[in-house]
Amino acid sequence: MNFLSKRLFIASLFLGSFVGSVHAQTSVSKSNFHQWAATPPLGWNSWDCFGPTVVESEVKANADYMSKYLKPYGWNYIIVDIRWYVANDKAHGYNEKDPQYAIDEYGRFTPAENRFPSAAGGKGFKPLADYIHSKGLKFGIHIMRGIPVEAVKRNLPIKGSKATAKDVYSEKDQCRWLHDMYTVVAGMEGAQEYYNSLFELYASWGLDFVKVDDLSSPIYHQGEVEMIRKAIDRTGRKILLSTSPGETPIDHADHVQQNANMWRTVGDFWDSWQQLKEHFAVFKRWNSYRMEGAWPDGDMLPLGHIGIRAERGNDRMSAFSKDEQYTLMTLWSIFRSPLMFGGHLPDNDPFTLSLLTNKDVLDVLKYSRNNKELFNNNDLVAWVADDPKTGDKYLALFNAQDQQEMVADKAVWSSGLINRETPGGSKMVDVDITGAKKLYLAVSDAGDNIDWDHADWITPTLYKGSDSLALTSLKWTKATAGWGRARMNKGVSGSDLVVNDQKYESGIGTHSNSVIEFDIPEGYTRFKAMAGLDKAGAVQNAGATLQFMVFTQNPSGPMPADSAQIAVQLKELGFNSACTVKDLWTGKKIGVFSNEFAPYIRRHGAGLYRISPQRKN
């Protein structure tokens, strides 16, 4: 080979290498991000147990547990939730009085080093991500939509642009419940570059998942969704996108499906049966929008040890009964929602661990197809799905029947609808209770759902002529609340009683649906109070909707039976001959059935079954 030939050969090698490199980069950047989550993601999120206060050692402890006990079953995401960039945040709310932000020279939040010591020296989350990756797991974080208010105040530059923070922001549509960020205005010079710089940073840390809050409810911020999608794709790193909170407006379902891997279908979900029951209607509504790599998300699983330092609620094991926990896991699996566990994993008991490591149940979540509700007959519910490998059917049965808590016709006073558009956010109560022995203060969800339905009975008072008696000086006989627990002289979340921005010292804080029962001392003939929407609910997303009622007799309807038989005709599942039924939770074969399968299901409980045509040897 002569000198010229050698040079041409070397040049061709270089050019081939260069073209190959360009092609590789192009194929990465144009890869279909839906392939990154071929099955619903399974992971742990710090929110339910640590709120905005989680620290590095706690994240590592949960990663260690997941790697040891859950990774063989497909659990692999570890997510640090909200406000990891604030050094002095608190439980039971957010510190918005004097937050100490960690922020870099380009207006991007960085981990608070007192909470995440490995981030010192500008390392960010990379050391923690490396630790989690070393366990064979993936790492993610929560962020708020927009650009930090702090960056705008300092007018910090935007990396990769001549623009500064002041050039891309708007105060319009700022988050109502947390004021760390301003909106980034799509189309402004520097707007896309800001999100590009953000995700460049996250990719350099080694992130695999980002949950973006205040992005989809009550306003769906389409412009910012698209900028985030572009910024992720530009990095060339497989970073799953989860949008929050919910319910995502369903008229944007097609758009979010095409731009995200997960999107919330509800607001914050806690260990409340009423919230769990709402998911039957929610999942039916969202069922047609599921596709591989794009998953409607029923929110985190409030199971195990939660509320340790939560934004709301107290330190506790999940308030769900075992039956309700089976219902939750069965419904999420047959619907194929992502599973993000909310409890502190190292504190799991054997029962909680068993819910997360049932291979047969997780196979329904991962691999079933044609999932749909078969029927809902008076809260006796059936869902069905296919096993594409065998032609078998999966059948989920639920007994969601309840005692009617409040028969409205029995009420002696009703507020009608109260929401944040109601003048003063409240109604005055003044009702004759002459001759009554009992007083029941009830709050319903006004017919929608119980999201953020924080309710206050302000200065509730009994009257006997000119004499008065503060109801808060008495002990109630019993009290229920749809979330948390009713409290004297405090909001249900433990905060002050605040209605229409006015603080009150005396009252009862609760959460729909709620019934609080008192024995009335003899001779009292009148009850007065103010029924109001607590500020904690008024500022959230679309805000709460409530109806207050007063009863002097038990407001409830009849109690359903402890269990009910749910009958499914096998021909409805496509079987015309005898079938074998296996209980997937116990792993046991129940028997052979010819025409009908009709097990008894406990109230608030569930069953999950594999239905197989009987095969001859």
Side-chain angles (χ1 to χ4, degrees):
M1 185 180 290
N2 61 31
F3 177 74
L4 180 59
S5 298
K6 286 182 179 179
R7 297 208 45 183
L8 288 172
F9 176 72
I10 292 170
S12 68
L13 286 177
F14 173 78
L15 181 60
S17 174
F18 175 76
V19 170
S21 174
V22 170
H23 174 73
Q25 292 178 26
T26 303
S27 66
V28 169
S29 65
K30 289 186 177 180
S31 64
N32 183 352
F33 70 90
H34 288 120
Q35 297 173 4
W36 308 346
T39 59
L42 281 67
W44 172 84
N45 182 296
S46 63
W47 168 254
D48 283 358
C49 43
F50 301 115
T53 70
V54 70
V55 299
E56 184 167 358
S57 60
E58 292 163 336
V59 177
K60 286 184 173 180
N62 280 275
D64 293 346
Y65 181 100
M66 181 177 288
S67 178
K68 184 175 181 180
Y69 296 105
L70 300 181
K71 186 173 69 171
Y73 299 90
W75 297 82
N76 61 350
Y77 283 96
I78 296 289
I79 313 300
V80 174
D81 211 271
I82 198 165
R83 279 195 131 197
W84 38 265
Y85 46 81
V86 175
N88 60 338
D89 220 329
K90 61 176 186 175
H92 297 102
Y94 301 104
N95 178 10
E96 296 198 77
K97 181 180 179 182
D98 59 349
Q100 297 170 10
Y101 295 116
I103 193 168
D104 74 4
E105 69 271 26
Y106 295 113
R108 303 171 298 187
F109 283 133
T110 59
E113 294 179 9
N114 64 321
R115 292 170 53 194
F116 299 93
S118 69
K123 297 184 181 71
F125 270 130
K126 189 175 190 312
L128 181 56
D130 289 345
Y131 180 85
I132 290 168
H133 291 154
S134 75
K135 298 285 182 178
L137 305 174
K138 297 182 179 181
F139 179 55
I141 60 172
H142 169 291
I143 66 171
M144 297 295 294
R145 165 189 71 86
I147 191 166
V149 172
E150 189 71 12
V152 174
K153 285 181 179 177
R154 299 188 199 177
N155 198 25
L156 294 175
I158 293 172
K159 186 178 181 182
S161 172
K162 295 180 181 179
T164 66
K166 285 187 176 180
D167 296 322
V168 302
Y169 91 102
S170 171
E171 295 183 23
K172 186 176 183 295
D173 297 328
Q174 185 184 31
C175 179
R176 296 177 65 100
W177 49 269
L178 184 61
H179 301 92
D180 290 344
M181 315 296 281
Y182 285 135
T183 296
V184 173
V185 182
M188 298 294 289
E189 182 182 353
Q192 183 63 56
E193 286 79 6
Y194 173 73
Y195 273 116
N196 289 349
S197 75
L198 203 59
F199 282 89
E200 280 177 10
L201 180 65
Y202 298 161
S204 74
W205 289 346
L207 259 63
D208 308 292
F209 185 106
V210 173
K211 171 184 172 183
V212 186
D213 212 333
D214 192 44
L215 193 61
S216 50
S217 175
I219 300 170
Y220 184 77
H221 294 274
Q222 181 167 323
E224 290 191 77
V225 170
E226 292 174 359
M227 285 190 284
I228 291 166
R229 177 76 268 152
K230 289 177 183 176
I232 291 174
D233 291 344
R234 181 177 173 273
T235 68
R237 185 172 180 83
K238 297 178 180 180
I239 301 174
L240 264 60
L241 172 59
S242 169
T243 71
S244 184
E247 182 173 350
T248 303
I250 204 160
D251 56 342
H252 291 283
D254 290 334
H255 187 267
V256 74
Q257 182 193 68
Q258 294 304 312
N259 286 279
N261 300 103
M262 297 165 47
W263 62 91
R264 287 271 292 279
T265 59
V266 294
D268 285 357
F269 171 52
W270 287 99
D271 48 339
S272 154
W273 166 251
Q274 290 164 315
Q275 284 190 300
L276 174 52
K277 186 173 179 177
E278 288 167 1
H279 279 79
F280 287 102
V282 169
F283 282 175
K284 181 180 180 181
R285 183 160 61 246
W286 280 98
N287 192 52
S288 63
Y289 295 100
R290 182 194 315 105
M291 63 174 280
E292 185 173 299
W295 308 103
D297 174 18
D299 198 21
M300 286 174 286
L301 311 179
L303 302 176
H305 188 186
I306 59 176
I308 298 170
R309 296 191 309 278
E311 188 264 337
R312 293 193 299 158
N314 300 309
D315 190 341
R316 65 195 183 279
M317 293 300 287
S318 176
F320 283 133
S321 68
K322 286 188 176 181
D323 283 323
E324 291 166 349
Q325 293 182 59
Y326 280 125
T327 291
L328 190 162
M329 291 298 296
T330 302
L331 183 58
W332 265 240
S333 296
I334 198 73
F335 175 72
R336 306 189 73 200
S337 170
L339 302 183
M340 291 290 161
F341 187 83
H344 186 44
L345 287 171
D347 293 344
N348 276 357
D349 56 20
F351 174 73
T352 304
L353 179 59
S354 74
L355 293 173
L356 310 181
T357 55
N358 186 309
K359 183 180 182 301
D360 286 340
V361 173
L362 292 174
D363 281 352
V364 177
L365 174 91
K366 295 174 186 176
Y367 308 122
S368 62
R369 295 291 186 273
N370 301 319
N371 312 63
K372 64 180 180 180
E373 182 185 271
L374 188 63
F375 60 75
N376 185 335
N377 297 330
N378 190 29
D379 290 335
L380 300 179
V381 185
W383 275 67
V384 65
D386 297 336
D387 178 354
K389 290 184 178 179
T390 65
D392 291 354
K393 297 285 185 178
Y394 295 117
L395 177 67
L397 299 177
F398 307 90
N399 181 350
Q401 290 189 330
D402 279 309
Q403 181 183 32
Q404 186 178 352
E405 292 178 286
M406 306 163 211
V407 180
D409 290 345
K410 295 183 179 181
V412 296
W413 178 87
S414 177
S415 68
L417 178 69
I418 293 179
N419 57 28
R420 67 185 181 207
E421 306 303 321
T422 304
S426 63
K427 296 284 182 70
M428 299 307 298
V429 186
D430 186 351
V431 59
D432 187 344
I433 57 170
T434 302
K437 303 295 184 184
K438 291 279 191 178
L439 183 70
Y440 301 85
L441 305 184
V443 185
S444 81
D445 63 7
D448 55 1
N449 57 58
I450 71 167
D451 286 354
W452 300 104
D453 281 356
H454 294 236
D456 296 336
W457 295 94
I458 301 297
T459 60
T461 308
L462 298 172
Y463 290 89
K464 179 169 58 176
S466 59
D467 293 337
S468 63
L469 176 67
L471 199 63
T472 51
S473 67
L474 304 177
K475 290 185 178 179
W476 54 59
T477 304
K478 58 184 176 180
T480 62
W483 175 84
R485 59 183 177 86
R487 295 172 180 261
M488 289 285 194
N489 303 323
K490 287 286 184 182
V492 68
S493 63
S495 57
D496 292 330
L497 294 165
V498 180
V499 176
N500 196 32
D501 287 328
Q502 183 172 344
K503 178 181 173 182
Y504 295 89
E505 299 297 329
S506 174
I508 302 170
T510 189
H511 195 291
S512 79
N513 290 337
S514 169
V515 178
I516 304 172
E517 177 185 338
F518 288 91
D519 292 322
I520 302 176
E522 189 174 350
Y524 286 90
T525 60
R526 199 148 206 92
F527 171 67
K528 295 182 181 182
M530 182 175 77
L533 171 59
D534 192 276
K535 183 178 180 179
V539 300
Q540 293 290 339
N541 297 332
T545 53
L546 303 167
Q547 182 177 5
F548 293 78
M549 289 175 279
V550 177
F551 297 83
T552 55
Q553 58 178 312
N554 190 324
S556 304
M559 177 68 76
D562 288 340
S563 63
Q565 193 173 25
I566 306 179
V568 177
Q569 304 304 310
L570 295 178
K571 64 181 181 181
E572 291 186 56
L573 306 183
F575 298 120
N576 295 311
S577 59
C579 295
T580 302
V581 178
K582 178 183 178 181
D583 185 324
L584 297 187
W585 279 115
T586 66
K588 297 178 180 178
K589 288 186 178 179
I590 298 175
V592 177
F593 299 83
S594 294
N595 299 308
E596 179 182 83
F597 177 56
Y600 280 88
I601 305 294
R602 288 168 56 88
R603 188 159 56 88
H604 291 196
L608 183 59
Y609 309 95
R610 175 186 284 275
I611 314 291
S612 310
Q614 195 172 21
R615 297 177 175 91
K616 295 180 180 179
N617 292 330

